[in-house]
Amino acid sequence: MTHYESLKASISPQMLKTAAATLHEDEKKVSSAVSMLLPSQLVRFIDRGETARVNETIREAGNAGLFDRRAELFAGHGIDEGKNLGERFENELVGAQNKAYPNAVAAESGISVAAADRLSGWVAALIAGYLGDKIIRNNLSMSTVMNGLRQERATIVRDIPVKVGRAAGIGGMCSGTPAAAKGTKKNNWLIWLIIAAVILIIIFLSIRSCNRNDAVESVVVTEQVKDKPVKVAGTDLKFVEHRLPDGQVMRVADGSCEDCMVKYLQSDAYRKATNAELRKNWLQFDNIDFEYDSETALTGGSRQQLDNIAAILKNYPDVKIRIGGFADKTGTRAVNYEISKKRAEYVKSILVQDGIRADRITTEGFGEEFATVPEDATAAQRAVDRSIALRFTK
């Protein structure tokens, strides 16, 4: 069985049924969309997949056993970092700002653009998991897998609708009979010029749609709701003091990220917790704000909380953390993923500057996955969805 056949066989009817229910779409239309997404992303990998970033993503997916848990992905579950590995893989293949790709899939299959966008990420995670499984579990080299896929390319391309293939940036897509295609060879440069112009316009519009006002409401408490962090606004701010192992006394807001960190670590709960338990407990950064339309410029009060967190981590040198970035619903899913990821990485860079070893901190971008406020709400209302959080890891 070829790689392509194995991938198609790995998507069960139950997975499609579950995906359709999750996306509130017709099952046959979802099946049609998957039949376009799978070959188009696979061909994009064949054409440009041998990059360090793509290889890293595939290995992470293999180590995470993502392929074995594919049914959870098609049910809309993130599986910790699995969904984001899929988005990272998809962004590398078809472009983070490529609106034409989900639009073309939606038009051809009959599902909504939003559904096509989400389904695309799930299919990308499936492919990354499959490839990672071959490399990690079956001990195949990347070149061996790639050579096998290259031999299948011509067969896979036949399953890709022309409009979807062009939107994905796949070369060699043509319409009409082979004879008609031969007659248009001398005009191919003009076709590609038009396609390039359209892509530039799409990119320009995507960038404009990403402008965002990151005003943040007053936050005093961190709560856990369905395994994700949320902010709770309030006015009655109380302070508590904690004495760290080095003798330093830290005065912080009651219920703040620092307060929760110290209480957790002083209770010895971190040492006893399993990785599965740690994945469920995110702590909200409640005093961090980025300047308008920036992934790297923090507002004035933000640095103090990061300095406090660095001081805590210095007192517990064996503790590791994972920083997560979140975005609101404005802009495309792919762009929101990139923004949230870059903000999480920037927060990590500040902690590293404060003296925390880089290998103690990992990052993850969640994009708009947990956003609850409508896209057409005000910037202040959407601020609850733009946040940074952390959890402990081992």
Side-chain angles (χ1 to χ4, degrees), residues 47-256:
D47 291 348
R48 57 171 297 178
E50 288 188 294
T51 67
R53 186 170 172 82
V54 168
N55 290 350
E56 178 186 356
T57 301
I58 290 171
R59 289 188 176 277
E60 285 186 45
N63 286 322
L66 202 56
F67 186 65
D68 289 339
R69 298 184 289 170
R70 57 191 179 277
E72 296 176 56
L73 282 169
F74 275 64
H77 303 317
I79 315 179
D80 196 24
E81 61 186 304
K83 177 187 72 65
N84 297 301
L85 288 172
E87 289 184 345
R88 188 199 307 173
F89 187 71
E90 178 191 11
N91 290 347
E92 287 296 310
L93 299 184
V94 299
Q97 297 177 334
N98 187 351
K99 285 184 177 180
Y101 182 56
N103 286 350
V105 172
E108 291 289 321
S109 65
I111 64 176
S112 69
V113 175
D117 202 28
R118 291 188 68 190
L119 195 59
S120 180
W122 300 347
V123 171
L126 169 75
I127 296 173
Y130 172 84
L131 296 171
D133 188 70
K134 291 296 179 184
I135 292 169
I136 301 299
R137 183 177 297 178
N138 295 350
N139 201 30
L140 297 178
S141 67
M142 181 64 74
S143 60
T144 298
V145 174
M146 185 63 79
N147 288 337
L149 284 169
R150 286 190 180 119
Q151 295 176 15
E152 300 175 37
R153 188 186 187 283
T155 300
I156 301 172
V157 167
R158 297 192 191 107
D159 286 349
I160 307 172
V162 173
K163 291 181 180 179
V164 172
R166 287 176 176 171
I170 296 172
M173 301 301 300
C174 59
S175 58
T177 63
K182 289 181 181 179
T184 61
K185 275 188 176 181
K186 61 182 179 182
N187 293 322
N188 278 348
W189 66 271
L190 180 59
I191 294 173
W192 284 110
L193 182 62
I194 294 171
I195 292 173
V198 171
I199 292 174
L200 287 174
I201 292 172
I202 290 169
I203 292 173
F204 174 73
L205 293 176
S206 297
I207 293 173
R208 290 190 62 186
S209 72
C210 294
N211 288 339
R212 53 188 67 218
N213 184 348
D214 285 39
V216 175
E217 300 172 5
S218 172
V219 177
V220 298
V221 183
T222 297
E223 294 184 350
Q224 302 299 325
V225 178
K226 294 182 179 179
D227 302 340
K228 67 179 180 182
V230 296
K231 296 180 179 179
V232 181
T235 56
D236 297 328
L237 195 62
K238 297 180 180 180
F239 289 89
V240 295
E241 291 186 349
H242 291 288
R243 183 177 296 278
L244 301 178
D246 65 0
Q248 175 185 351
V249 176
M250 180 176 291
R251 186 172 184 267
V252 296
D254 185 22
S256 65

Side-chain angles (χ1 to χ4, degrees), residues 20-66:
T22 301
L23 298 171
H24 305 292
E25 295 283 354
D26 179 78
E27 186 178 341
K28 290 183 179 179
K29 292 180 180 179
V30 167
S31 177
S32 175
V34 170
S35 70
M36 303 172 196
L37 291 164
L38 180 62
S40 56
Q41 291 187 15
L42 199 55
V43 170
R44 282 297 286 173
F45 172 71
I46 295 169
D47 291 348
R48 57 171 297 178
E50 288 188 294
T51 67
R53 186 170 172 82
V54 168
N55 290 350
E56 178 186 356
T57 301
I58 290 171
R59 289 188 176 277
E60 285 186 45
N63 286 322
L66 202 56

